Amino acid sequence: MGREQTILSAATGAFAEKGFHGVSMDELGRRAGLSGPALYRSFSGKDEILATLLNEALDELMTATISIHEDPALDLDRALRHHIHFSATKGHLVGLYQREVRSLSDPWKRPFDRRQRQYIEKWEFLFQRCYPGLGQDRTAQSVQSVLGAIFSMTSWPGRTLRGAAVEDHLFSLLQGALSTLEQPIPSVTTG
């Protein structure tokens, strides 16, 4: 593992334990087996380390949203399976995002926010290809619901994640939910 990856790995653990603001560069250096000042040869500071971690995760997630099949259902299934696997195996990065994205500062915040919007737009495109009659609002709601369900895995009790075929089970549940998108929305009455 190279110096940068060692630092990023140490930072992921430290940020998970103490939060972004609870960790100093000196502590990151100790955890990475380097002096605090040596970290500055690779990163300008904690902000850049956080931005690098979040961008690397987003890079991988965005790659899975690229359409590669003629059949839109295959592309959506591929994105779902990839995101479920990412959440199951790299939950530490999902958790880091959920807890610390608000700590991201400029000059990294604006480009990351822009990339995050592009990521959501890619998901919406996948949904619109599969469900062309869904409409803009229901598409956006569906994307957020699916991503929320997938990324909630990071807060599931450990015993639920240890179960056999948890990734296949979540995929199946999401497929069942998505099959209802072609049906009209039932009206809800309050009484």
Side-chain angles (χ1 to χ4, degrees), residues 54 57-62 64-65 79-99 112 116 119-120 123 142-157 161 170-171 174:
L54 294 177
L58 190 56
D59 287 345
E60 184 175 337
L61 294 173
M62 283 183 82
T65 62
L80 289 170
R81 285 194 180 279
H82 178 275
H83 279 64
I84 291 168
H85 183 71
F86 184 92
S87 191
T89 59
K90 297 182 181 177
H92 58 285
L93 291 173
V94 175
L96 177 69
Y97 168 81
Q98 291 171 333
R99 287 184 314 275
F112 184 81
Q116 193 174 28
Y119 166 69
I120 296 300
W123 267 102
S142 299
V143 165
Q144 292 302 319
S145 297
V146 164
L147 292 177
I150 292 170
F151 294 141
S152 74
M153 290 176 77
T154 62
S155 61
W156 291 6
L161 291 172
L170 180 55
F171 177 78
L174 291 173

Side-chain angles (χ1 to χ4, degrees), residues 10 17 27 30 38 73 80 85 92 94-95 101 110-111 134 136 140 151-152 154 159 183 185:
E17 289 173 30
E27 181 175 350
R30 277 192 307 278
L80 289 170
H85 183 71
H92 58 285
V94 175
V101 72
R110 272 182 246 173
L134 200 55
Q136 187 175 357
F151 294 141
S152 74
T154 62
R159 64 180 173 74
Q183 302 168 10
I185 299 175

Side-chain angles (χ1 to χ4, degrees), residues 58-181:
L58 190 56
D59 287 345
E60 184 175 337
L61 294 173
M62 283 183 82
T63 300
T65 62
I66 296 170
S67 296
I68 61 172
H69 299 288
E70 286 185 33
D71 182 351
L74 292 176
D75 280 331
L76 184 57
D77 285 356
R78 177 179 157 268
L80 289 170
R81 285 194 180 279
H82 178 275
H83 279 64
I84 291 168
H85 183 71
F86 184 92
S87 191
T89 59
K90 297 182 181 177
H92 58 285
L93 291 173
V94 175
L96 177 69
Y97 168 81
Q98 291 171 333
R99 287 184 314 275
E100 301 297 349
V101 72
R102 68 188 178 281
S103 299
L104 201 57
S105 63
D106 282 325
W108 300 279
K109 182 177 177 22
R110 272 182 246 173
F112 184 81
D113 289 347
R114 185 174 40 255
R115 291 187 71 225
Q116 193 174 28
R117 282 190 301 276
Q118 292 168 345
Y119 166 69
I120 296 300
E121 289 167 2
K122 287 177 179 285
W123 267 102
E124 290 174 354
F125 178 74
L126 290 174
F127 269 73
Q128 289 165 351
R129 282 185 68 212
C130 282
Y131 308 102
L134 200 55
Q136 187 175 357
D137 289 344
R138 282 189 73 202
T139 296
Q141 293 161 359
S142 299
V143 165
Q144 292 302 319
S145 297
V146 164
L147 292 177
I150 292 170
F151 294 141
S152 74
M153 290 176 77
T154 62
S155 61
W156 291 6
R159 64 180 173 74
T160 12
L161 291 172
R162 285 189 301 270
V166 66
E167 293 180 37
D168 289 336
H169 183 64
L170 180 55
F171 177 78
S172 177
L173 289 172
L174 291 173
Q175 285 293 91
L178 292 176
S179 70
T180 67
L181 289 179

